Amino acid sequence: MTTLYFDCETFSEADLKTAGTHRYAEHESTEIMLAQWAIGDEEPTVEDLTGRKMPSAALQAHLADPDVIVIAHNSAFDRTLVRHCWGIDVPVERWRDTMVKGLAHGLPGALGKVGVILGLPEDQQKDKRGKALIQLLCKPRPKNSTLRRATQETHPNEWQEFVEYSRQDAPAMRAIDRRLPVWNYRAGELALWHLDQTINDRGFAVDRALALAAIAATDAEKARLKSEMRVATDDLVDGPSKRDDLLAFILAEHGVDLPDMTADTLRRRLEDPELPEGVKLLISIRLESTKTSTAKYQALVKATSADGRLRNTLQFAGALRTARWAGRIFQPQNMPRPTEGFDEELQELAIEALKGGYAGAGGDVMLLTSNCIRGAIVAAPGRKLVVADLANIEGRKLAWLAGEEWKLQAFRDFDAGSGHDLYKVAYARAFNMDPADVGKGMKRQIGKVMELGLGYEGGVAAFVTFAAVYKMDLEQLADAVHSTAPKDQIARAYGVHEWATKKEMGATKTLPKNVYVACEVLKHAWREAHPMTVALWKAAKEGVSAAIANPGITFDMGPRLRAQVDGAWLRVRLPSGRYLCYLQPKVDEAGQISYMGVNQYTRQWGRIKTYGGKLIENADQASSRDVLAASMPKAEAAGYRIVLTVHDELLTEPDDLPCYTVDALAALMTANPPWADGLPLAAAGFEGHRYRKD
């Protein structure tokens, strides 16, 4: 096979950031100005194609040749532009992507960053100059400029510099391609990425009328809230978005010093009976104004193509290390949860109200539009949505990885209809009681937070974080635990609190003693009930530490995971055969494991510390992703045209025929892959013509 390294530089009056690749490519002003390409090790060629010229016969022949593999960085952009601007449709199976190849091994997506990490020389001045040239020549000039577009005629020196700058892209891509590992970018994973590209090209149908109505409603509500804020502050604060002004006003006028304006802080203060009514009003206005943003609706309007579909909203392996899908443009992975009880009927009524001009009609407009965001995803005429979600896949996979047999059986019993739900089972197991006595109240909620917060070696702080997510009252929780937990467990937890206080550990500084003790009791009880999971954390740390100390030798990380250092990489082999990849791992004298990666909070490249529970979290999430991924080709082949994946959920758009059902899709999703024997799987969902939270 011949390899063609390809890149292009484009001009358009459309804004790529807001329009997205497909809408950008469709814009009438969009053109490919330069095409940079190289065959194998040959010197690169740069073709000037301004004025909507077609590429050379040589390049056209390579693009048309079925024996030529085309490699690009962020190939979805190049492939889409080539199709729209030149009318050349290179089948997706012939493309390879150095960005995706890097992401699949835990590296960042930017070409320059990957090059530096892999040891290519860094020229910061060249990079800075390249960005300036792109800003000058690839985008329209500012509105206040007399010149609408900079060209080779208006800026000949900069244009020549731009051509030479572009010439380096193909060699850089070639060097990166050859230095990147291939463990997670071949065979099944490569075929899965090709399916991902088909899904992204397909996109999903959008209810644009709903999006426009929601934008109008929220704009009107924001104007009303701004006016209400100005009246409440005698025009000293111009609106609820003016955070610093609002903080200063509340302090000066009411003597209340708020540490910040986060939603959690404000909700807690609203519960203070001694808080002045004037402050409660201001906080309520602020909270209402920030319940939702029009950003997602704006994205739908700006990026949806002329045929009514929004495309390219998924990034393959975008969640670093685990290779889960990440969201783009519309960000489908972080849609807000609707309020409890907001079912299909209420959704339809709410959408009808919005489309009928709900703005200004009173009620909680912000909450309404937030609840309706999923409903903007619809089925095209003649089709329907069939949606199914893998049930508690990470909890099931963690038990399977650890060999926690009692829990695996509890999942099987629940799936068969003969057992209790796992949140009740978790609480009952921790406190040696019958799950039938747990009920649906506080105890079950505690069991839920235990399950979600403690499975990856999390302690009191992790428990409190998840308790906040599910809006648990920590004082009520503490009362419940202190009144029911065995006295010896309470006494032990008080001892832990005393020790942690002496060590000045964070949670002891922020939590009342009774709350800390209650959370410590729950943590200890959960661990006592999950001995194999606790052993798995230890095995992960020991196996990885041994692998780092003995490169080239494979070590167990529990019953189903393996670790080995290969050159500069630590590889954790998952049951599917895919790898978690950690670059430049090391263990310091204190036994602390670390590696080089992208910090999930700062988004910067640097050394990251890890531990047994975190390694297992990565493995669990990655392996759960592999279960979902294994079902996707089967669903597609059966006629369930996948349009989106949201966490562990598949959204499909088959023909609107009775033969396509939720049960059939769920059966495809829960058929165990060959490498997941014994893993209990379950899925459920719905079918209809509008997406919702089932």
Side-chain angles (χ1 to χ4, degrees):
M1 299 288 284
T2 302
T3 300
L4 167 67
Y5 292 95
F6 179 83
D7 186 44
C8 63
E9 304 293 347
T10 61
F11 172 86
S12 180
E13 293 183 3
D15 182 352
L16 178 60
K17 185 175 181 180
T18 58
T21 294
H22 286 265
R23 187 72 179 268
Y24 176 92
E26 294 165 6
H27 198 275
E28 60 184 9
S29 68
T30 302
E31 64 174 283
I32 295 175
M33 297 189 297
L34 297 177
Q36 308 91 257
W37 57 278
I39 294 294
D41 291 322
E42 295 178 6
E43 286 297 307
T45 297
V46 179
E47 297 187 17
D48 182 347
L49 303 167
T50 50
R52 295 180 177 270
K53 298 174 186 173
M54 289 293 291
S56 65
L59 179 54
Q60 290 190 56
H62 291 311
L63 292 173
D65 189 341
D67 292 326
V68 172
I69 294 297
V70 187
I71 300 179
H73 196 83
N74 188 18
S75 63
F77 178 83
D78 299 274
R79 181 169 54 83
T80 304
L81 268 292
V82 165
R83 185 172 70 250
H84 278 277
C85 294
W86 295 343
I88 300 175
D89 191 358
V90 181
V92 67
E93 292 77 15
R94 286 179 47 211
W95 288 85
R96 304 291 184 271
D97 194 320
T98 49
M99 182 182 78
V100 173
K101 193 176 181 181
L103 290 173
H105 296 93
L107 298 179
L111 185 69
K113 289 182 179 180
V114 176
V116 172
I117 291 166
L118 295 178
L120 297 181
E122 180 180 21
D123 187 341
Q124 293 182 342
Q125 288 302 115
K126 179 179 181 295
D127 183 57
K128 184 177 180 180
R129 182 56 178 159
K131 290 179 180 177
L133 291 169
I134 289 172
Q135 188 69 28
L136 173 68
L137 296 163
C138 296
K139 301 178 181 181
R141 306 301 299 142
K143 291 182 179 179
N144 59 359
S145 173
T146 56
L147 180 68
R148 185 58 186 160
R149 176 180 177 182
T151 66
Q152 54 187 310
E153 285 77 22
T154 63
H155 293 73
N157 294 334
E158 289 86 348
W159 178 261
Q160 191 56 43
E161 189 179 359
F162 185 47
V163 171
E164 293 308 311
Y165 169 82
S166 302
R167 194 181 302 275
Q168 303 305 311
D169 287 343
M173 193 191 314
R174 180 168 56 200
I176 287 171
D177 180 51
R178 293 175 179 178
R179 295 192 187 196
L180 283 170
V182 298
W183 308 308
N184 291 338
Y185 197 65
R186 57 188 174 187
E189 281 297 303
L190 188 59
L192 184 65
W193 172 64
H194 287 148
L195 174 56
D196 159 88
Q197 293 294 279
T198 299
I199 294 167
N200 270 307
D201 286 351
R202 178 181 294 150
F204 53 82
V206 172
D207 186 343
R208 195 168 184 272
L210 168 59
L212 290 171
I215 292 169
T218 51
D219 284 350
E221 181 66 0
K222 286 178 180 178
R224 186 188 70 80
L225 292 170
K226 180 177 181 179
S227 176
E228 191 173 349
M229 178 65 73
R230 294 187 65 176
V231 170
T233 61
D234 293 328
D235 287 335
L236 293 175
V237 180
D238 193 42
S241 64
K242 304 295 183 181
R243 185 197 62 180
D244 293 342
D245 292 347
L246 184 54
L247 285 170
F249 179 86
I250 291 173
L251 178 60
E253 295 295 319
H254 298 280
V256 176
D257 188 7
L258 296 173
D260 54 55
M261 281 271 166
T262 64
D264 287 341
T265 296
L266 297 183
R267 290 192 191 100
R268 283 197 300 269
R269 290 311 302 269
L270 276 179
E271 296 173 359
D272 182 357
E274 298 182 2
L275 192 69
E277 289 301 317
V279 178
K280 288 184 178 180
L281 173 62
L282 297 174
I283 287 177
S284 297
I285 295 172
R286 167 76 180 188
L287 282 172
E288 190 173 350
S289 71
T290 56
K291 277 181 181 174
T292 186
S293 165
T294 57
K296 287 190 181 297
Y297 287 112
Q298 292 282 8
L300 291 173
V301 171
K302 293 178 179 179
T304 298
S305 293
D307 66 353
R309 301 187 76 88
L310 180 62
R311 296 175 168 86
N312 214 40
T313 60
L314 294 174
Q315 177 56 63
F316 187 86
L320 294 180
R321 286 180 287 283
T322 66
R324 282 179 172 269
W325 279 266
R328 295 292 182 263
I329 308 174
F330 174 65
Q331 296 290 350
Q333 310 298 330
N334 66 354
M335 286 183 281
R337 294 181 65 89
T339 51
E340 188 173 351
F342 192 78
D343 57 15
E344 181 181 12
E345 183 179 357
L346 284 178
Q347 184 187 62
E348 288 300 325
L349 289 172
I351 290 172
E352 183 179 348
L354 282 171
K355 290 183 175 181
Y358 186 83
D364 196 333
V365 176
M366 296 301 193
L367 182 60
L368 187 71
T369 55
S370 177
N371 279 344
C372 290
I373 187 64
R374 282 178 171 79
I377 299 174
V378 295
R383 298 188 180 277
K384 63 181 177 180
L385 295 180
V386 179
V387 180
D389 188 21
L390 287 170
N392 197 356
I393 180 61
E394 288 183 23
R396 295 164 183 262
K397 205 67 194 288
L398 178 60
W400 184 77
L401 289 172
E404 202 79 71
E405 286 299 329
W406 72 264
K407 198 165 195 176
L408 293 172
Q409 189 58 48
F411 277 117
R412 295 184 189 108
D413 292 343
F414 177 73
D415 295 341
S418 59
H420 298 277
D421 86 61
L422 267 291
Y423 299 143
K424 292 183 179 181
V425 172
Y427 187 91
R429 180 89 177 185
F431 292 104
N432 194 30
M433 62 186 294
D434 189 330
D437 296 331
V438 173
K440 297 181 179 180
M442 174 64 79
K443 291 177 182 178
R444 182 187 181 278
Q445 191 74 346
I446 290 174
K448 181 176 183 177
V449 176
M450 291 168 75
E451 282 293 282
L452 298 177
L454 301 177
Y456 304 128
E457 208 173 352
V460 169
F463 185 92
V464 170
T465 297
F466 277 88
V469 170
Y470 289 94
K471 298 179 175 59
M472 292 187 68
D473 186 308
L474 293 178
E475 289 292 342
Q476 288 183 13
L477 178 146
D479 290 343
V481 172
H482 281 271
S483 64
T484 58
K487 292 182 179 179
D488 62 325
Q489 292 190 28
I490 296 287
R492 188 203 64 81
Y494 270 110
V496 173
H497 180 269
E498 183 178 352
W499 171 83
T501 301
K502 291 178 180 178
K503 293 286 186 179
E504 297 185 342
M505 297 179 72
T508 61
K509 300 177 183 178
T510 58
L511 293 175
K513 182 187 290 188
N514 64 322
V515 172
Y516 183 99
V517 167
C519 294
E520 173 62 29
V521 167
L522 295 173
K523 181 203 80 174
H524 182 73
W526 192 92
R527 292 185 180 184
E528 286 283 301
H530 293 77
M532 299 304 294
T533 305
V534 173
L536 182 64
W537 303 336
K538 181 180 179 182
K541 180 179 180 180
E542 291 178 348
V544 165
S545 297
I548 294 171
N550 301 274
I553 301 176
T554 300
F555 292 86
D556 290 344
M557 296 170 57
R560 300 185 186 277
L561 302 171
R562 308 288 180 267
Q564 179 181 325
V565 169
D566 187 347
W569 297 84
L570 164 67
R571 294 194 290 160
V572 174
R573 191 182 189 280
L574 300 168
S576 65
R578 195 166 64 85
Y579 293 91
L580 289 171
C581 298
Y582 303 88
L583 189 61
Q584 298 173 12
K586 71 177 185 180
V587 181
D588 65 18
E589 294 179 356
Q592 175 67 63
I593 303 169
S594 65
Y595 61 93
M596 295 299 291
V598 177
N599 187 293
Q600 63 177 325
Y601 301 109
T602 66
R603 310 308 299 171
Q604 299 300 309
W605 181 261
R607 187 152 289 278
I608 299 173
K609 296 179 181 179
T610 192
Y611 54 93
K614 189 66 176 179
L615 291 165
I616 293 304
E617 179 182 28
N618 289 169
D620 186 13
Q621 292 180 350
S623 196
S624 296
R625 172 269 193 193
D626 291 347
V627 172
L628 180 71
S631 72
M632 291 169 68
K634 294 183 292 184
E636 188 77 16
Y640 292 89
R641 302 164 73 252
I642 302 170
V643 296
L644 199 59
T645 171
V646 179
H647 302 300
D648 305 311
E649 187 176 49
L650 284 186
L651 281 72
T652 72
E653 189 189 38
D655 292 334
D656 193 355
L657 297 172
C659 59
Y660 296 107
T661 67
V662 173
D663 289 344
L665 177 60
L668 292 169
M669 295 172 65
T670 55
N672 287 63
W675 46 265
D677 186 49
L679 170 66
L681 293 173
F686 66 93
E687 63 178 85
H689 292 88
R690 191 181 296 277
Y691 182 43
R692 65 180 189 270
K693 186 70 176 175
D694 192 41

